[in-house]
Amino acid sequence: CGHFGRSFAADELWRDRGHTSGYDLCSLFREVEAACSSKIMRKYLDGERSDLNSASNGQVSLTSLCGVVILPNDFEEIESSVLSKEGCQEAIRVSKSILGHQTEIKRDARLVLVAACLCYCNSIASHDKLAQTNSEPDGDVKSVSSPTKRDKKATGREQEVNPLLRQRLGDACNEIGKALLNESRAVLTSDGKEAGGDANMSHVSAVLLNSATFWFNQGLEQFQLAEDLRNLALLRCNLCMCCKIRANTNVILPGGSSQRPFSIAEQFLNEAIGHLESAHESLGQRDTDAACWDMVSEELASTLLVLGVRRRQNSVLGKTSNPILLQAISLTPGDERRIVEPMERSCGIYESLRTVRANHQAAAAHYQLALLFSKIWTIQRDEAKTKEKLSAAFSHFSSAYQYFFSHIRGNETTFVVLSLDLANLYSTVSGEECLAKALGCCLDTKEAFNDVDPSSLDQMIVLADNIESRVSKLLLSLVKLEKEAKSGQVDKYKGMYRHALGYKMHSAKSGDEADDNRKRFDRLYELLGLLGSLTK
C-alpha cells in the first residue's frame, strides 16, 4: 500500500489516464486497515508501536490525512506566549482550510503520501512484532522486561526491517514536509505582502511550519535507522530552511514572547548551523558524496554569513554610522570575536568550494568583513590593535574589490557601492597618497556606468550623483594639499578639479530632470575616463 501511494503521488498519469483518484486510493487503504484489524492480525500489530499515530498524538490517521500536526507542548507554548486557546485553534483551522483549497493534484498527492506513511509504519511495526515473537525463548525462561528500542538495535533486531522500507517512509515524510514548507512560505508572501506582515497569517504560517518540522523529524529518524547518509544530509538541509524562515521572518512560534527578537533569530540560526554540521558529520568526508557535501557546505557558509551580519547589526556597531559617535563605542573582544568568527568561517568554506557561485559569495563575505573592520579600527585602545584592524579592513576590501572589478557586469551597483566604501576608508587615513587612492577607486567605477541595465537605472542614477560628489570633494582636498606642499605640480589636481566643475556646471545648465539619463551616464563615463587619463 505504501509503494502504491508513493507511486500515485509521484506520477500524475494515474489521474490523467483515469485509473484512480486520491480519495479512491485513501478509501482503499482504509479498507485494507479494516481487514488487517481482524482478531488474527491484531496479534501482530498490537503491543509496542512507534508509528505516526502515536508520534503525532493521534492527529495523523487514515481518517485524518491533512498533515497538520501541532504537538501538545507546542500548542501550550503558542497558547501561553502569543495566542488564546481559541486563537490557536483558529490558526489550525485556517491552516487546514488552506490545504483543503489546494489544487486537486497537490491535495491528492499530500493526502496519499500521509496515508502511505501510515501504511509503511504499520508494516514496520508488524516486522518488529514478528521479530520479537520469534526471538522469545521457549520453555519457562521469560524475559524480565520488554526490550527497549536501544536493546533492539544492539541485538540487530532493527536490522531485520528492510532498509529500503525505512528509506521509502523517510522519502514520503520528506515530501510531505516540503509541501507544508512551501505552503508556509506562500502564506507569508501572499498578496505581495512582506513576510509576516499580517499577524493572523503569521500565526497560520507558524502552524504550517511547525507541521513541516514534525514531518522532517519523522523522516530524519527513519533515515538514521536506515543509515542513508545522503538523504540524511539533504533532510537536515530542509530542517535548516525551517530554522532560517523562523529567524528571518516574524512568524509567531513557541517561546516567541519570552526573548528579544534578535535573540530568537540567533537561536534559530544556531539551530540551523547545528543541523548542517550534523549533516557533515553523517557524511563523514567529502568523498562519500561530493555533490551533497558541497551543497551542505554552501548552505552552511550562507547561514554563518547571515549569523555574522545579524550579530553585527544587533551590536553597538549597528546602532550608528556617525564616526564621532563610533569613537565613544566600546566593543569587547568577546563581542568582536562572536561577529568575526562566523563570517571568517563562511569565507573559508566558500573559498574552499571554488565554484562560480562560491567565488561570488566569498567576495560578498570579504565585503562584509571589510565593513566590520572599517568601523572597529577607530575604536581600538592601543596603536598595535588599530593597525591590525585597519590592515584587515584593507585586506578584505582588496579581495572583494578584485573580484567585483573583474565581474562588473551584473554587479554594477555592488561594485559602485563597494568602491565608495573603500574610498571612504582611504579618506579617513590622512595623507595625499590615501586621498589619491580614494580618487582612483571612484574613477575605476566608470565601466559600471557604461551600458546601464534599465532594471537598475534608478539605483545607478543615485550612485552617479554620489560618485560625482565624492570625486569633487576628493579633488578639492588634493588641490589644497598640493598647494600646501608646494611640490611644483600645482596644476595636476587643479586641472582635474576644473574638469569636474565644468561637468557639474554643464549638468546644472541642461537640467537633470529634462536631460536624458542615458546621456548623463555617457557624460559621467567620459568625465571619469578623462580624469583617469589625467591621473596617469
Side-chain angles (χ1 to χ4, degrees), residues 68 180 214 242 377 426:
V68 173
L180 293 170
F214 168 82
C242 291
W377 78 275
Y426 274 122

Side-chain angles (χ1 to χ4, degrees), residues 12 26 110 232 273 279 306 421 508:
E12 296 179 7
C26 292
R110 175 174 44 81
L232 193 60
I273 290 169
V306 171
D421 287 332

Side-chain angles (χ1 to χ4, degrees), residues 230-245:
R230 183 177 184 275
N231 280 323
L232 193 60
L234 294 175
L235 201 145
R236 286 196 178 276
C237 287
N238 288 335
L239 282 167
C240 167
M241 290 305 300
C242 291
C243 295
K244 290 175 76 172
I245 290 176

Side-chain angles (χ1 to χ4, degrees), residues 182-201:
N182 290 335
E183 285 300 321
S184 177
R185 287 171 172 165
V187 166
L188 287 173
T189 58
S190 60
D191 299 326
K193 296 177 182 178
E194 294 183 0
D198 185 328
N200 291 329
M201 297 311 289

Side-chain angles (χ1 to χ4, degrees), residues 475-512:
L475 285 173
L476 181 58
S477 298
L478 285 166
V479 168
K480 290 179 180 178
L481 286 176
E482 211 170 36
K483 286 182 179 180
E484 293 173 1
K486 296 181 180 179
S487 59
Q489 297 180 343
V490 177
D491 293 337
K492 177 182 178 182
Y493 293 114
K494 189 174 182 180
M496 296 172 66
Y497 185 57
R498 284 176 179 171
H499 282 292
L501 285 177
Y503 166 80
K504 194 170 184 179
M505 292 175 63
H506 185 274
S507 297
K509 185 177 180 180
S510 60
D512 289 345

Side-chain angles (χ1 to χ4, degrees), residues 35-90:
C36 291
S37 298
S38 65
K39 194 170 184 179
I40 297 175
M41 294 303 297
R42 195 177 296 124
K43 172 184 175 183
Y44 299 103
L45 294 176
D46 283 352
E48 182 187 351
R49 297 174 63 184
S50 58
D51 60 0
L52 281 173
N53 188 268
S54 59
S56 65
N57 200 41
Q59 297 177 68
V60 178
S61 66
L62 285 176
T63 57
S64 178
L65 298 173
C66 177
V68 173
V69 178
I70 300 295
L71 299 178
N73 289 340
D74 293 338
F75 185 92
E76 290 174 4
E77 291 182 15
I78 294 175
E79 178 188 346
S80 62
S81 60
V82 296
L83 291 172
S84 64
K85 183 176 181 180
E86 293 75 15
C88 195
Q89 292 285 10
E90 176 65 14

Side-chain angles (χ1 to χ4, degrees), residues 428-448:
T428 57
V429 182
S430 59
E432 181 181 341
E433 181 181 358
C434 287
L435 288 176
K437 288 182 177 180
L439 178 62
C441 290
C442 293
L443 300 183
D444 286 342
T445 63
K446 68 184 181 72
E447 292 297 333

Side-chain angles (χ1 to χ4, degrees), residues 346-347 350-351 357-367:
S346 171
C347 194
Y350 277 131
E351 289 178 337
R357 175 178 167 77
N359 290 338
H360 180 94
Q361 293 300 108
H366 278 298
Y367 186 20

